[in-house]
Amino acid sequence: MIDLSFRPEDITLPVGHFLSGKVVSGGKDIAVTSPGNGSLLAYVPEAGPELVHEAAQTAARVQRESGWATCAPRERARVLRRWADLVEQHSMELARLETVCSTRPITQTVGWDIPFLAEGIRFFSEYCDKIGGDVAATSSSLLGMAIYEPYGVTGAIAPWNFPLVMASWKVVPSLAAGNGTVLKPSEMTPFSAVRLAELAVEAGMPAGLFNVVQGTGLATGEAICRHPDIGKLSFTGSTRTGIAVMKAAAESGPKPVTLELGGKSPQLVFNDISSVDEVADRIFRAFTGNAGQVCVTGSRLIVQRGVAEPLIAALVARCGQVAAFAPWAAAASYSPIISEPQAQRILNLVENSVKAGAQSLAPCLRMNSEEGGIFLSPGILLVTDVKSPVWQEEVFGPVLAVQTFDDDDEAFALAEHPVYGLAAGVHTASMSRAMRAIRTLKAGTVWVNRYGRSSDFVIPTGGFGGSGIGKDLGRQAFEANLRLKSVLMAVE
């Protein structure tokens, strides 16, 4: 077995922005620390409006002059496929850059994140020459067409929880559609995106087409959203910030947006499940994966009374089996919390919920690891009031809120949320019940007898209501980076 462990001090970090094919500095310093041991890793510069302007103008010029949008689409596809090959060839390097400052253990960045990234690039490369528009039905003396064309430059703002994967969901379909792109990674996880952009140039992408600017949302993100050369935006993050992004897009365009926002996703478990242990494993992964720091975390368990006691007991037992290791350790499988303020927020939500009447079945507590770091044990709370903070608010941590039910209608009513509609899980042996749940649940994604995303890139992802607008992945994500032009031509 290959030893995946490494020492953070041995990693060379690409510190800076990536403009016109080069790593550059400029802007006030932002400290980047590791949640795995609390150490200071580097200071990265923050891009203000002037540097964002340079990045956007450069992307617009290169997109226009390089022929990226006007070349044979399969030429773009070839570059993207070479990019995917380079990602695989540099998988260990990318995985370490991802792990050193994020919540992603090295075993998972090597085993899932980087392979998923490479395959996602290949998936969107296949769309380069597959979406061409339509010929409309008109009179024989006219030729009517609907033609797709790129926006020119798109802006992407990616989160910290899956830095490379989330960035690729925004950047890759945009580039495949013929656009230039300006990406802002999270200021907490800034390094891997720069290396990804370097590999794009090495693969043959015109330098300056894909630029990376570092910084905070208030400074750099705001400048991206409001830049006049950026014709479309994509953002993943909190619902509150997504509203601000949409407002900025409306005031500076208006321009279209794709928003993947918060969630408070329910998991419905019915008495007819075939195996309590299998479902317990599934639910446990769904709320502890990445320590619950996932938009689609299945954080609300709605379980029928006949199976509630054994299922809850199985989940509580699993909570006691989690161990904390630094993300770069070979034994690491459980994630740290990204920052101390986030850890304190999670603990406060749990405490306030208990004060409001929730019963703690498995306590969410600080955990120790050999190298320090910010770790919280998985927590389970039994609630009876839908107004409980842990039932209403997105915790973004390893906390499961549980309610029981008697019949299907009660289960579907409990699954409703006043704000979110990102995802839902249904665990049942009844196909008819599963179909009713699929039609009834107000969620952008419904998983049946499974929970979590797979490598089926063709299936789009995105939420309803306060969970967002538009779709990542699938044909829909590619088409979202194209605008439609109508043509009516007289044929003489």
Side-chain angles (χ1 to χ4, degrees), residues 31-303:
V32 182
T33 59
S34 169
N37 65 3
S39 65
L40 175 66
L41 295 170
Y43 289 94
V44 297
E46 180 172 61
E50 290 183 0
L51 201 143
V52 170
H53 178 68
E54 179 183 349
Q57 283 208 320
T58 298
R61 176 181 55 78
V62 172
Q63 191 263 357
R64 186 173 59 250
E65 296 177 359
S66 67
W68 181 253
T70 56
C71 68
R74 296 195 68 79
E75 290 297 321
R76 286 201 305 276
R78 272 188 277 273
V79 172
L80 293 173
R81 289 196 299 271
R82 285 197 295 269
W83 191 16
D85 292 343
L86 287 172
V87 165
E88 288 184 334
Q89 292 168 25
H90 293 265
S91 61
M92 191 64 70
E93 177 190 6
L94 286 166
R96 289 174 172 176
L97 289 173
E98 190 86 331
T99 291
V100 74
C101 61
S102 78
T103 60
R104 306 293 296 139
I106 186 65
T107 52
Q108 295 173 18
T109 53
V110 169
W112 186 82
D113 298 56
I114 306 306
F116 189 91
L117 165 66
E119 199 59 23
I121 295 173
R122 293 192 180 100
F123 172 83
F124 282 112
S125 76
E126 296 165 6
Y127 270 106
C128 288
D129 64 347
K130 303 299 188 296
I131 305 295
D134 297 294
V135 175
T138 63
S139 72
S140 59
S141 62
L142 298 172
L143 177 61
M145 295 179 289
I147 301 173
Y148 283 109
E149 63 181 25
Y151 283 96
V153 179
T154 66
I157 301 174
W160 49 260
N161 56 341
F162 294 86
L164 278 174
V165 168
M166 293 290 99
S168 72
W169 285 11
K170 305 172 183 318
V171 168
V172 177
S174 171
L175 293 168
N179 295 288
T181 300
V182 178
L183 166 69
K184 188 197 88 65
S186 169
E187 66 274 19
M188 292 186 281
T189 55
F191 307 122
S192 56
V194 174
R195 188 66 183 119
L196 180 66
E198 287 180 329
L199 293 176
V201 174
E202 187 177 334
M205 193 172 294
L209 188 75
F210 172 23
N211 297 315
V212 179
V213 289
Q214 309 287 3
T216 62
L218 288 176
T220 313
E222 178 82 3
I224 289 174
C225 291
R226 294 187 178 276
H227 197 280
D229 284 345
I230 293 177
K232 190 258 178 185
L233 296 169
S234 182
F235 168 80
T236 294
S238 72
T239 299
R240 177 180 296 180
T241 305
I243 291 170
V245 168
M246 198 167 187
K247 179 180 179 182
E251 292 175 348
S252 60
K255 61 189 72 169
V257 296
T258 298
L259 304 175
E260 191 201 32
L261 308 178
K264 193 67 185 172
S265 300
Q267 298 199 70
L268 285 66
V269 179
F270 295 87
N271 286 339
D272 62 0
I273 57 171
S274 57
S275 170
V276 168
D277 278 339
E278 286 182 10
V279 173
D281 284 341
R282 202 180 298 151
I283 291 168
F284 188 73
R285 288 193 300 268
F287 86 93
T288 62
N290 208 32
Q293 297 162 114
V294 186
C295 293
V296 296
T297 289
S299 58
R300 290 190 296 147
L301 173 60
I302 302 167
V303 55

Side-chain angles (χ1 to χ4, degrees), residues 329-351:
S333 62
Y334 186 65
S335 297
I337 303 301
I338 187 64
S339 68
E340 180 56 37
Q342 174 63 7
Q344 193 56 56
R345 177 184 171 275
I346 294 167
L347 293 171
N348 289 343
L349 269 170
V350 170
E351 181 182 0

